[in-house]
Amino acid sequence: MLKKYMSKALIFASFVGIVSCSDDFTSLTPLGSATESNYFQTQADAEAAVNSMYYYMGDEDMFSRGFMWYINASDDMITGRIKAEADNIKNFNLTGDEGYASWMYPQSYKIIRRANDVLANVPDMDFDESVKKRCLGEAYFMRAFHYFWVASTYGNDVSGGVPIVTVENMKDTKFQRPASVTENYAQIVEDLTKAADLLPLYTSYSSENKGRAHKDACYAYIAKTYLYWAQYDDSKWEKVIEFCDKVSNSGSGRKLIDTDTPESDFRSVFTYQNEFGSEYIWSVTSGIDRGSKLVGVMLENKGWGVYNGWGYYTPTEELFEAFEDGDYRRSATILNFGDEFQFWGESRRYYSTNSLSGFQFNKYMDIYSYADPIGNGLINANGDALYTIQDVPILRYAEVVLMKAEAKLKLSKNADTEINLIRNRAGLSSKVNCTMADLKQERRVEFAGEFANRHRDLVRWGDAESIYSKPLHGRIHSDKTNPDSPYTIEEVWPARTYKPDVHNVWIIPSEVISSSGIDQNIGW
């Protein structure tokens, strides 16, 4: 898998750090041209440069916690532990100096710059054309993917988009924000379209190349870019359908894991055995030395004395109650007091002395179910490292299905087929004449605790202000060490003041503002 190539990526990452301080990229200044161009001499150099683009996918401040701090603002979860800085993010009470929120923007621009280096240097190099095409496709994809996250997080049509830095202007020393984030979305679609033309289907990759960018990921992110773009331009809904269909019809065999066994089908999605199956479209490729820590971040703090989980991001009563009776996704998603689960090869019943809501996410717990997961090479022995071999999904095929459903509903078309595909897999009966309320429900319970981004959904639907004006609740048990102890439902997070004209985008880190000279988002 791709993780085996990260040593070469580290060599390239070290190189760009040595030749210039611009790997910081908060100032968006370029690398020194002479030494940089001299680096790109061989196919191995090009591949190492490409591999370096994946390095920050496994950074704790990206897709372990990082962007999850913003998703934590939703009504699905609370911080889970007393942590003032994290609580300020959830409460939209930021100054721009918060460490937890300071890295995602500059780290993304580091990858954008590395992608630009590849796109600037590799076309004129002489080596295997099929490898060259893949390298360029990966660069276009990774540039677009990171623009997607920074643009949708920090840009809108009021304060503007985020600076667009490409090969053509990357030597500039100053950059302006585009008037609207839709300019970013147009650039993202352009990049992803080029990437899709260059990249193969993921099914054609050898085992050691699994985890690289591929054609389905391009199509899926074009669809999601149009989904976000449609917030400002209704004409984009047709494009969402078009590119969702491209994923479904690409020839790679995309489908839901559905064997008509609802008690296990959804649960099995989140296992390392299925990470390169039909459902994960894009994920954080992980191993015991690098990858997403989210699996351990959500594990009980101190892990019942067995392994050092961190105990963050705990589900709310509101999320628990959002699942319908008979929905097998609830038990696969949430651990509730008294629930039986496997941990370190033994059966346990859930209790928590840590969780401030009385729940824990169960979605990523499979990796801890095996006997001696450390000795068997499944997880890192260091409870502070928290790495596992279990990849964490960022975009699944189920989201492609529901993006198409949403677009059809917005175009006054029937979306029963798509919504019922998701419901039936979970053990629920079909619905007739589904509405946007049904779509919102399915997105919520299908993607809870994932990077599909419930908070961004609430923002684009215009629901954030009303939902965040209500307090959040949990189950407070009288004896937190007893799985059978009685509980009361209590407020665990107060109602919040959400101002759409300000809070629909997040504050740009102060260091970025001071070093780059771009304008801060209005109202922050």
Side-chain angles (χ1 to χ4, degrees):
M1 290 178 282
L2 180 64
K3 62 192 90 171
K4 71 181 285 188
Y5 293 105
M6 291 313 297
S7 59
K8 288 184 179 180
L10 284 168
I11 293 172
F12 180 79
S14 299
F15 161 77
V16 295
I18 291 170
V19 300
S20 172
C21 65
S22 63
D23 194 43
D24 177 21
F25 293 122
T26 52
S27 61
L28 302 180
T29 52
L31 292 168
S33 57
T35 310
E36 171 199 346
S37 60
N38 288 342
Y39 174 82
F40 287 90
Q41 299 297 316
T42 67
Q43 177 173 316
D45 296 337
E47 291 185 284
V50 167
N51 291 342
S52 79
M53 296 187 300
Y54 294 90
Y55 178 77
Y56 285 107
M57 291 292 291
D59 191 273
E60 183 180 325
D61 295 304
M62 294 292 279
F63 297 101
S64 291
R65 293 192 292 181
F67 285 110
M68 188 58 72
W69 289 124
Y70 294 146
I71 298 171
N72 184 51
S74 82
D75 53 339
D76 280 356
M77 63 182 82
I78 62 173
T79 305
R81 297 173 56 182
I82 301 298
K83 207 72 171 177
E85 189 171 303
D87 295 349
N88 285 337
I89 298 173
K90 186 171 180 68
N91 288 331
F92 309 103
N93 182 27
L94 294 91
T95 65
D97 298 325
E98 293 76 15
Y100 282 166
S102 67
W103 290 105
M104 293 80 83
Y105 188 109
Q107 302 291 54
S108 295
Y109 272 98
K110 289 180 184 181
I111 306 308
I112 289 165
R113 177 54 203 241
R114 292 180 187 183
N116 283 336
D117 288 336
V118 171
L119 295 171
N121 290 282
V122 168
D124 294 330
M125 295 177 68
D126 183 17
F127 63 91
D128 184 275
E129 282 299 316
S130 64
V131 177
K132 182 186 287 190
K133 282 181 62 178
R134 192 202 74 207
C135 287
L136 294 173
E138 288 178 271
Y140 279 120
F141 176 83
M142 292 299 283
R143 186 169 76 177
F145 172 76
H146 287 281
Y147 266 130
F148 174 85
W149 276 92
V150 290
S152 61
T153 300
Y154 303 105
N156 63 8
D157 64 341
V158 178
S159 292
V162 296
I164 298 174
V165 186
T166 62
V167 171
E168 289 70 27
N169 69 340
M170 70 180 186
K171 302 296 185 182
D172 294 351
T173 57
K174 290 291 183 181
F175 300 89
Q176 300 296 318
R177 300 183 64 175
S180 172
V181 73
T182 59
E183 294 181 52
N184 290 113
Y185 292 153
Q187 175 66 42
I188 292 165
V189 169
E190 181 180 336
D191 277 358
L192 290 171
T193 301
K194 292 176 181 177
D197 289 341
L198 292 164
L199 290 171
L201 294 173
Y202 87 106
T203 49
S204 72
Y205 278 137
S206 58
S207 60
E208 62 266 22
N209 284 311
K210 298 290 189 185
R212 294 189 181 278
H214 53 85
K215 197 179 297 288
D216 287 354
C218 298
Y219 291 152
Y221 271 103
I222 292 175
K224 192 159 186 177
T225 301
Y226 279 127
L227 184 84
Y228 282 12
W229 196 345
Q231 176 183 347
Y232 309 105
D233 181 353
D234 285 339
S235 70
K236 304 306 178 188
W237 289 115
E238 290 284 4
K239 289 290 188 181
V240 176
I241 295 174
E242 176 185 344
F243 282 92
C244 287
D245 284 344
K246 282 182 177 292
V247 176
S248 299
N249 300 324
S250 72
S252 65
R254 292 293 175 187
K255 61 181 179 179
L256 300 180
I257 294 176
D258 188 350
T259 65
D260 293 325
T261 314
E263 60 270 21
S264 60
D265 282 339
F266 181 77
R267 188 183 299 270
S268 72
V269 172
F270 307 96
T271 61
Y272 75 88
Q273 292 92 339
N274 281 325
E275 61 195 18
F276 292 118
S278 64
E279 190 148 349
Y280 279 24
I281 292 180
W282 190 240
S283 57
V284 182
T285 303
S286 301
I288 61 171
D289 296 315
R290 188 77 184 167
S292 178
K293 293 182 179 180
L294 185 65
V295 178
V297 167
M298 289 181 166
L299 176 64
E300 167 80 2
N301 189 28
K302 308 301 182 185
W304 301 284
V306 178
Y307 185 75
N308 185 33
W310 288 2
Y312 286 106
Y313 312 130
T314 60
T316 59
E317 176 72 13
E318 282 75 11
L319 175 61
F320 186 85
E321 292 297 336
F323 291 88
E324 298 171 50
D325 290 341
D327 189 337
Y328 283 98
R329 290 173 295 188
R330 176 154 63 186
S331 61
T333 300
I334 299 174
L335 278 175
N336 180 29
F337 264 57
D339 286 351
E340 188 170 323
F341 67 105
Q342 293 294 116
F343 192 69
W344 246 252
E346 298 180 354
S347 181
R348 299 177 66 101
R349 295 181 65 221
Y350 176 73
Y351 67 85
S352 175
T353 59
N354 162 76
S355 173
L356 296 180
S357 68
F359 299 109
Q360 180 191 303
F361 276 110
N362 192 30
K363 190 167 271 187
Y364 309 113
M365 285 287 284
D366 178 75
I367 201 69
Y368 299 118
S369 69
Y370 302 96
D372 191 16
I374 295 174
N376 286 313
L378 302 180
I379 68 175
N380 193 297
N382 182 349
D384 288 326
L386 295 179
Y387 298 120
T388 80
I389 67 167
Q390 184 169 323
D391 291 1
V392 170
I394 302 179
L395 197 156
R396 295 193 282 117
Y397 183 66
E399 188 166 9
V400 172
V401 174
L402 289 179
M403 286 193 291
K404 181 177 180 180
E406 183 172 349
K408 290 176 75 173
L409 289 170
K410 287 292 188 178
L411 293 169
S412 300
K413 297 179 180 180
N414 186 282
D416 291 358
T417 297
E418 292 75 19
I419 289 175
N420 288 326
L421 273 175
I422 302 298
R423 289 179 57 81
N424 296 162
R425 195 257 295 269
L428 298 175
S429 60
S430 296
K431 285 191 169 185
V432 178
N433 296 324
C434 293
T435 66
M436 273 299 296
D438 296 313
L439 181 282
K440 291 176 181 181
Q441 159 73 10
E442 292 306 318
R443 277 195 68 91
R444 182 181 194 182
V445 297
E446 179 74 19
F447 303 122
E450 297 184 47
F451 286 101
N453 206 335
R454 164 75 172 169
H455 169 70
R456 186 54 46 194
D457 283 347
L458 294 175
V459 169
R460 65 187 182 84
W461 291 330
D463 295 339
E465 183 177 16
S466 62
I467 286 177
Y468 294 163
S469 69
K470 302 178 180 68
L472 299 173
H473 299 83
R475 297 186 177 187
I476 309 305
H477 290 259
S478 59
D479 181 354
K480 293 188 176 184
T481 64
N482 180 3
D484 296 313
S485 69
Y487 66 88
T488 55
I489 295 176
E490 300 181 16
E491 180 178 309
V492 293
W493 207 273
R496 293 166 286 165
T497 299
Y498 183 89
K499 301 176 182 178
D501 57 336
V502 176
H503 300 140
N504 277 357
V505 288
W506 292 97
I507 191 171
I508 297 173
S510 299
E511 186 177 350
V512 172
I513 298 298
S514 63
S515 61
S516 68
I518 63 174
D519 293 332
Q520 182 58 270
N521 283 326
I522 294 171
W524 284 103

